[in-house]
């Protein structure tokens, strides 16, 4: 008896199983592109009042949540310590807050995708490894509004990117304080929107992005009502009595440029102003009236149709939308007079491309005692450069500069065909202890990672690894010891390069390029940590 649900003939089955693995991935990619995916985003805004990071942020980041893990974390801080000594140190090295969050996220499979700092304003974006090859066009911007635009204690910082072909922008703002400055806050925000221009003819202005997230210490207060009525309403959890006198809600009814911004319901206590390390509102002589100063809003552009790489999007089809899943404050954090606020979002995205620009893999089994090969291929439209490089990373790497070693794709090329190119890395560059690693292809033209391999094992060489580090170039200041390769500020890299060359006694993949001009916004070849004597 014939099966009622016979879905394939023998010929069709044979054709299916004979396809190569690569073809199967292409078919799956096209199916994926035809469907909307939910991209999970967790956004934090927190005025930290110059404090150091707290001991634990598990609840803030919802790391113990039972649901699916987040795809991206966006963290906007205000009033990060920017005293002159701290600020100069943070220009040369990562600031304590960035280091803190990288330490939290890297073991969980996230890397710091981008960051931007303007005095006390700091914006960080962390993303899961799987999404990195599909995030492109990453740019940062900042606008000062303090002291008539000459001082950066107030203003806005932004990070924009193409996420699966959709333009997303995150803007962290710190606007002027005090209840009487509501109009100044609106003027400053309007200025930030006007001043933030990008070198992109398709998306030149901040409002041209498909989605714009606006958040920060926006400093809007509760007008008209006295402090006793406000506090009594909060004590009785009757927050709705205060909504109509919230200055931002009032402004959204009058100002046309604000009316497209959406915010979730304010179903939590006003987040300012608290006594430190408590959930008690201000008991100082000033007795500030509580207010929802810390906010998260978003705006979805009235999307015209997006052409995909196959040009198969139907007329008027919605390709991206936003759902707010959670909008709360976190009362347990008391390091500043503000409570942090988080928004958890689901972005319903129809990917406009599903194939990485670069596909790369380690050739064969890697042994730390032998030279190794990397194979990679690119799509036809990939904008390659002689300054592109492939980095070897530990699996729990923190950011694009956190590599162990690297190879220039042109200088270290040993073979090339129409489909595949091979480059090599000397055994001297491989960590002799072995371990689990992955490869990333960094595009100079795109200023981002264009491809990433799956994790793989490097077998231990069985010898003590001295080529892994460098004797410090400053023996009077530093310990004479070998240290692992990590990022140093650019002004010290030439000295680190010379010291490393003297130790490795020959070929160094950075030769001829390490001493060339670099810009602080570019990822660049390896450098070294110095260990100061105590």
């Amino acid at each position: 008896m014939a099966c009622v649900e016979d879905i394939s003939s023998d010929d069709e089955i044979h054709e299916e199983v004979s396809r190569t693995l690569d073809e199967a991935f292409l078919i799956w990619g096209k199916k994926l592109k035809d469907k909307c995916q939910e991209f999970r985003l967790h956004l934090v805004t927190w005025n930290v009042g110059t404090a150091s990071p707290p001991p634990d942020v598990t609840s803030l980041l919802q790391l113990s949540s039972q649901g699916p893990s987040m795809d991206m974390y966006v963290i906007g801080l205000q009033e990060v310590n920017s005293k002159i000594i701290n600020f100069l140190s943070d220009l040369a090295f990562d600031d304590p807050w960035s280091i803190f969050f990288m330490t939290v996220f890297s073991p969980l499979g996230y890397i710091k995708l981008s960051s931007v700092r303007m005095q006390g304003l700091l914006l960080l974006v962390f993303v899961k490894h799987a999404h990195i090859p599909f995030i492109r066009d990453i740019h940062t911007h900042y606008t000062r509004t303090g002291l008539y635009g000459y001082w950066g204690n107030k203003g806005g910082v932004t990070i924009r990117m193409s996420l699966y072909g959709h333009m997303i922008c995150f803007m962290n703002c710190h606007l002027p304080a005090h209840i009487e400055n509501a109009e100044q806050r609106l003027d400053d925000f309007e200025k930030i929107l006007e001043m933030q221009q990008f070198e992109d003819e398709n998306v030149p202005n901040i409002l041209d992005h498909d989605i714009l997230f606006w958040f920060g210490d926006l400093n809007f207060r509760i007008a008209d009502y006295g402090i006793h009525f406000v506090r009594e309403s909060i004590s009785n959890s009757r927050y709705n009595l205060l909504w109509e006198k919230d200055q931002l809600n009032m402004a959204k009814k009058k100002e046309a440029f604000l009316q497209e911004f959406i915010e979730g319901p304010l179903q939590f206590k006003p987040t300012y102003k608290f006594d430190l390390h408590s959930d008690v509102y201000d008991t100082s002589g000033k007795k500030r009236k509580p207010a929802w100063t810390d906010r998260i809003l978003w705006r979805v552009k009235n999307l015209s149709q997006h052409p995909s790489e196959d040009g198969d999007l139907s007329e008027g089809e919605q390709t991206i939308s936003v759902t707010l899943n959670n909008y709360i404050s976190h009362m347990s954090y008391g390091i500043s007079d503000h409570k942090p606020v988080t928004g958890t979002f689901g972005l319903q995205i129809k990917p406009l491309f599903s194939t990485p620009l670069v596909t790369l893999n380690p050739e064969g089994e890697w042994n730390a005692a032998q030279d190794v090969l990397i194979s990679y291929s690119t799509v036809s439209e990939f904008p390659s450069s002689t300054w592109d490089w492939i980095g070897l990373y530990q699996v729990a790497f923190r950011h694009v500069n956190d590599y162990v070693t690297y190879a220039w794709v042109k200088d270290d090329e040993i073979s090339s065909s129409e489909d595949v190119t091979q480059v090599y890395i000397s055994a001297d560059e491989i960590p002799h202890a072995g371990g689990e690693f992955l490869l990333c292809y960094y595009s100079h033209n795109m200023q981002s990672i264009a491809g990433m391999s799956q994790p793989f094992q490097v077998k231990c060489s069985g010898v003590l690894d001295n080529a892994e580090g460098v004797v410090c170039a400053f023996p009077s200041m530093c310990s004479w010891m070998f240290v692992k390769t990590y990022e140093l500020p650019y002004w010290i890299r030439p000295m680190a390069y010379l010291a490393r060359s003297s130790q490795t006694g020959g070929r160094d993949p950075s030769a001829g390029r390490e001493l060339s001009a670099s810009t602080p916004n570019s990822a660049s070849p390896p450098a070294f940590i110095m260990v100061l004597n105590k």
Side-chain angles (χ1 to χ4, degrees):
M1 184 173 68
C3 177
V4 174
E5 299 190 7
D6 182 11
I7 60 172
S8 301
S9 68
D10 290 345
D11 288 341
E12 287 173 325
I13 293 172
H14 178 74
E15 181 183 350
E16 186 70 25
V17 298
S18 66
R19 287 190 174 107
T20 66
L21 185 60
D22 286 344
E23 288 172 330
F25 278 132
L26 288 174
I27 292 168
W28 173 247
K30 189 175 188 311
K31 289 180 179 178
L32 182 67
K33 194 173 61 180
D34 291 339
K35 298 179 180 179
C36 276
Q37 306 175 68
E38 183 173 60
F39 187 89
R40 294 171 294 276
L41 166 69
H42 190 72
L43 199 154
V44 178
T45 179
W46 194 3
N47 183 322
V48 297
T50 74
S52 298
D56 184 78
V57 287
T58 300
S59 63
L60 181 69
L61 304 176
Q62 297 186 4
L63 297 179
S64 58
S65 171
Q66 297 301 310
S69 61
M70 298 297 156
D71 296 291
M72 178 181 286
Y73 286 90
V74 177
I75 299 167
L77 304 180
Q78 308 86 41
E79 292 193 22
V80 173
N81 195 336
S82 57
K83 293 178 181 178
I84 187 65
I85 296 298
N86 302 82
F87 191 63
L88 290 175
S89 171
D90 294 347
L91 287 175
F93 302 94
D94 281 315
D95 66 276
W97 280 94
S98 296
I99 293 170
F100 172 75
F101 281 114
M102 285 190 288
T103 302
V104 170
F105 284 124
S106 61
L108 303 176
Y110 299 85
I111 75 160
K112 186 182 77 172
L113 180 75
S114 185
S115 65
V116 58
R117 170 93 182 263
M118 182 182 73
Q119 289 183 217
L121 273 169
L122 176 63
L123 179 56
L124 302 162
V125 176
F126 293 87
V127 68
K128 270 185 176 178
H129 290 180
H131 302 296
I132 293 169
F134 305 101
I135 301 177
R136 305 168 188 174
D137 256 347
I138 305 166
H139 295 281
T140 63
H141 212 307
Y142 63 88
T143 300
R144 303 183 186 96
T145 59
L147 199 63
Y148 305 102
Y150 290 100
W151 193 240
N153 64 319
K154 296 292 191 293
V157 293
T158 60
I159 297 175
R160 60 80 66 89
M161 66 193 69
S162 165
L163 177 65
Y164 289 93
H166 302 278
M167 298 306 298
I168 314 292
C169 188
F170 301 98
M171 179 168 57
N172 174 24
C173 290
H174 193 183
L175 300 181
H178 306 306
I179 192 168
E180 65 272 15
N181 287 331
E183 289 300 319
Q184 184 64 50
R185 286 188 273 279
L186 296 175
D187 289 345
D188 282 6
F189 179 52
E190 214 167 2
K191 177 183 177 181
I192 293 168
L193 292 178
E194 291 175 4
M195 295 292 291
Q196 300 234 347
Q197 302 290 325
F198 297 93
E199 295 179 3
D200 184 335
E201 60 182 23
N202 296 318
V203 189
N205 186 271
I206 198 166
L207 292 177
D208 294 323
H209 291 79
D210 295 332
I211 301 176
L212 168 61
F213 288 94
W214 172 39
F215 50 94
D217 180 359
L218 307 186
N219 254 323
F220 289 101
R221 309 302 171 98
I222 297 171
D224 299 340
Y225 296 141
I227 188 171
H228 297 294
F229 178 80
V230 171
R231 289 192 172 185
E232 187 69 19
S233 299
I234 295 169
S235 296
N236 294 324
S237 298
R238 301 186 68 185
Y239 309 128
N240 60 304
L241 298 179
L242 309 176
W243 292 345
E244 67 176 13
K245 293 299 181 179
D246 172 79
Q247 290 178 331
L248 180 54
N249 287 340
M250 295 165 67
K252 285 177 66 181
K253 294 177 181 177
K254 296 189 301 180
E255 302 290 342
F257 75 99
L258 289 178
Q259 288 172 4
E260 292 183 335
F261 283 93
I262 304 167
E263 184 180 20
L266 297 168
Q267 299 282 14
F268 50 85
K269 288 183 177 183
T271 53
Y272 175 84
K273 176 184 182 180
F274 289 88
D275 291 344
L276 294 183
H277 306 291
S278 78
D279 57 1
V280 176
Y281 284 108
D282 186 18
T283 59
S284 71
K286 294 181 179 180
K287 288 191 177 178
R288 300 282 191 195
K289 186 163 55 173
W292 286 289
T293 56
D294 309 280
R295 313 286 278 269
I296 300 173
L297 298 91
W298 71 97
R299 175 186 182 272
V300 180
K301 183 182 175 184
N302 186 16
L303 295 175
S304 58
Q305 71 180 64
H306 273 286
S308 72
E309 60 190 12
D310 291 339
D312 58 359
L313 187 61
S314 61
E315 182 74 26
E317 185 175 345
Q318 184 80 354
T319 59
I320 187 167
S321 61
V322 180
T323 301
L324 176 65
N325 297 325
N326 203 5
Y327 188 36
I328 59 175
S329 66
H330 296 262
M331 295 294 292
S332 62
Y333 294 93
I335 61 173
S336 81
D337 53 3
H338 291 251
K339 300 298 182 184
V341 171
T342 62
T344 304
F345 297 87
L347 308 186
Q348 286 71 43
I349 293 177
K350 181 172 183 179
L352 302 183
F353 51 78
S354 54
T355 305
L357 293 173
V358 179
T359 303
L360 70 165
N361 294 290
E363 279 285 321
E365 275 194 353
W366 278 30
N367 188 311
Q370 301 171 349
D371 294 352
V372 293
L373 295 179
I374 302 165
S375 295
Y376 73 90
S377 58
T378 65
V379 298
S380 57
E381 67 270 22
F382 177 64
S384 62
S385 163
T386 56
W387 292 89
D388 291 355
W389 49 272
I390 297 172
L392 177 68
Y393 296 83
Q394 293 180 327
V395 168
F397 72 111
R398 297 179 169 209
H399 51 80
V400 70
N401 287 330
D402 193 17
Y403 37 67
V404 175
T405 188
Y406 71 100
W408 293 104
V409 297
K410 296 301 182 185
D411 288 1
D412 297 311
E413 179 184 308
I414 61 168
S415 71
S416 180
S417 67
E418 187 175 334
D419 299 322
V420 177
T421 302
Q422 288 187 325
V423 298
Y424 89 103
I425 297 178
S426 165
D428 292 339
E429 304 295 325
I430 306 298
H432 288 183
E436 192 174 20
F437 296 86
L438 52 78
L439 298 164
C440 293
Y441 185 112
Y442 185 84
S443 167
H444 175 76
N445 288 331
M446 296 173 58
Q447 294 290 292
S448 63
I449 293 173
M452 177 182 288
S453 76
Q454 292 296 316
F456 61 95
Q457 286 293 135
V458 175
K459 288 187 177 181
C460 174
S461 69
V463 299
L464 181 63
D465 191 355
N466 281 342
E468 190 46 17
V470 58
V471 174
C472 180
F474 303 98
S476 61
M477 296 171 59
C478 308
S479 302
W480 283 83
M481 62 181 293
F482 288 99
V483 293
K484 288 187 179 294
T485 54
Y486 287 102
E487 180 184 11
L488 274 187
Y490 286 78
W491 54 268
I492 205 168
R493 289 190 172 196
M495 289 170 279
Y497 159 69
L498 292 173
R500 183 171 188 233
S501 295
S502 68
Q503 285 299 311
T504 55
R507 177 189 173 277
D508 190 295
S510 60
R513 298 191 190 268
E514 180 70 18
L515 300 179
S516 61
S518 299
T519 61
N521 293 325
S522 304
S524 64
F528 308 90
I529 288 178
M530 293 187 299
V531 182
L532 296 178
N533 281 327
K534 296 181 179 178

